[in-house]
Amino acid sequence: MRIFVTGASGWIGSALVPELLEAGHRVTGLARSDSSAAALTTAGADVVRGTVDDLDVLAGAAAEADGVVHLAFKHDIAFSGDFQGAAEADRRAVDALAEPLADTDRPFVLASGLAGLKPGKVAGERDMPTVDGSAMSIRASTSLAVLALAERGVRSSVVRLAPTCHGEGDHGFMASLVAVARDKGVSGYLGDGANRWPAVHRLDAARLFRLAAEKAPAGSVLHGVAEEGVALRDVAEVIGRHLDLPVTSVTPEAAPGHFTWLSGFLGLDAPASNTLTRDLLDWHPTRPGLLEDLDKGHYFHRA
């Protein structure tokens, strides 16, 4: 297949492109900069220049492809205060990508998240997010719209990714926690630290996206989760050991000052299973778990 990938030079996309190429597919990647275009060309992919705001470009590339994997999201503005703007831009991009795929039975795979599912219980693939009009639920409604494309002749699927997709080179949640610990002189966790986050290694996640494009049935919900839930206190202890810092609890009242933008996420207890995903696609994560990956030390190398 010729597969069009948005976010192709990003954290997961840069692992997905070689995954697809090695499996015999052709890849066209969306690139918004010269450096991204050069990286894709070096990897062996074709390049379409543009951004997720260039809706005509997205629609044209989707029309020429045998399938689409949509990884791009405006994380830069989402985590600097405008999540609603990022989510609304994502919905427009999804609509543009989806239209040329109607009545073709071609795959459309969307990267989404596990936020919005009922906290405090192990979330399964059959659990649906709450859409309540909040900024966060805009992205949830987009994922539901993609699933509904199955009724329009699109082999659509949604990969709900664990909040931490870890690996060497990660600049996400784990790297941010390490930076906060260095800055504050303590490795902190919120409250008693018993709350759990699911986790997945980026290379395992990339393989899941490839399998979804190849064979996920229309309307599939997939969980990009290798570990059901890792306690945040355990994460803090590994960080503290590597940085030789004390490990301490941070109260909810002090969390915004201590963790800044991370504080809104660190209290979440959001374990999730991958049972149906494993059975449906024969996907079996093989890469190191989160604590093992942290213990390898690469998160603690200074740039």
Side-chain angles (χ1 to χ4, degrees), residues 2-303:
R2 174 180 285 279
I3 301 178
F4 177 50
V5 181
T6 71
S9 61
W11 175 234
I12 297 175
S14 58
L16 175 60
V17 168
E19 175 79 24
L20 289 169
L21 292 170
E22 288 169 13
H25 302 292
R26 297 184 64 185
V27 177
T28 300
L30 182 70
R32 62 178 180 176
S33 68
D34 291 342
S35 60
S36 293
L40 289 171
T41 299
T42 299
D46 297 323
V47 176
V48 169
R49 292 298 297 264
T51 74
V52 291
D53 292 320
D54 296 321
L55 303 184
D56 289 342
V57 171
L58 298 182
E64 294 179 1
D66 299 312
V68 173
V69 178
H70 180 44
L71 300 174
F73 190 75
K74 293 186 172 183
H75 290 100
D76 51 347
I77 68 170
F79 294 122
S80 61
D82 189 15
F83 191 94
Q84 180 168 339
E88 289 173 347
D90 187 54
R91 179 56 183 269
R92 292 190 293 271
V94 163
D95 289 344
L97 291 164
E99 192 59 36
L101 302 181
D103 299 318
T104 66
D105 197 36
R106 286 181 282 175
F108 181 16
V109 187
L110 173 73
S112 190
L114 286 162
L117 301 180
K118 187 175 181 180
K121 65 179 287 289
V122 179
E125 290 89 339
R126 292 194 177 98
D127 292 319
M128 288 294 115
T130 299
V131 178
D132 57 10
S134 65
M136 190 68 77
S137 74
I138 295 173
R139 197 175 190 193
S141 68
T142 298
S143 70
L144 296 176
V146 168
L147 295 177
L149 290 172
E151 299 174 2
R152 297 183 59 202
V154 181
R155 188 162 60 80
S156 60
S157 59
V158 172
V159 177
R160 295 174 181 163
L161 282 167
T164 179
C165 186
H166 57 89
E168 189 164 1
D170 178 17
H171 296 291
F173 282 122
M174 291 300 112
S176 298
L177 280 174
V178 171
V180 168
R182 276 202 174 104
D183 180 57
K184 301 298 184 180
V186 298
S187 180
Y189 55 86
L190 191 61
D192 64 6
N195 56 302
R196 301 151 293 173
W197 278 11
V200 65
H201 194 284
R202 72 187 280 256
L203 297 179
D204 284 322
R207 190 167 76 257
L208 177 58
F209 278 99
R210 193 244 313 159
L211 292 172
E214 289 176 342
K215 59 182 182 180
S220 297
V221 175
L222 308 167
H223 276 189
V225 170
E227 294 177 280
E228 189 173 281
V230 181
L232 272 293
R233 182 178 57 237
D234 293 339
V235 170
E237 288 174 352
V238 176
I239 293 173
R241 185 170 71 251
H242 277 267
L243 296 181
D244 195 23
L245 293 174
V247 179
T248 186
S249 171
V250 177
T251 66
E253 294 76 19
H258 186 93
F259 295 111
T260 64
W261 67 271
L262 282 165
S263 63
F265 299 93
L266 289 178
L268 293 176
D269 184 44
S273 72
N274 65 6
T275 303
L276 297 182
T277 301
R278 289 200 320 266
D279 292 345
L280 184 65
L281 297 182
D282 195 26
W283 175 66
H284 300 282
T286 60
R287 302 292 176 166
L290 176 57
L291 299 182
E292 181 184 352
D293 200 16
L294 282 168
D295 251 336
K296 288 179 178 295
H298 54 81
Y299 275 95
F300 309 99
H301 298 160
R302 289 186 181 272

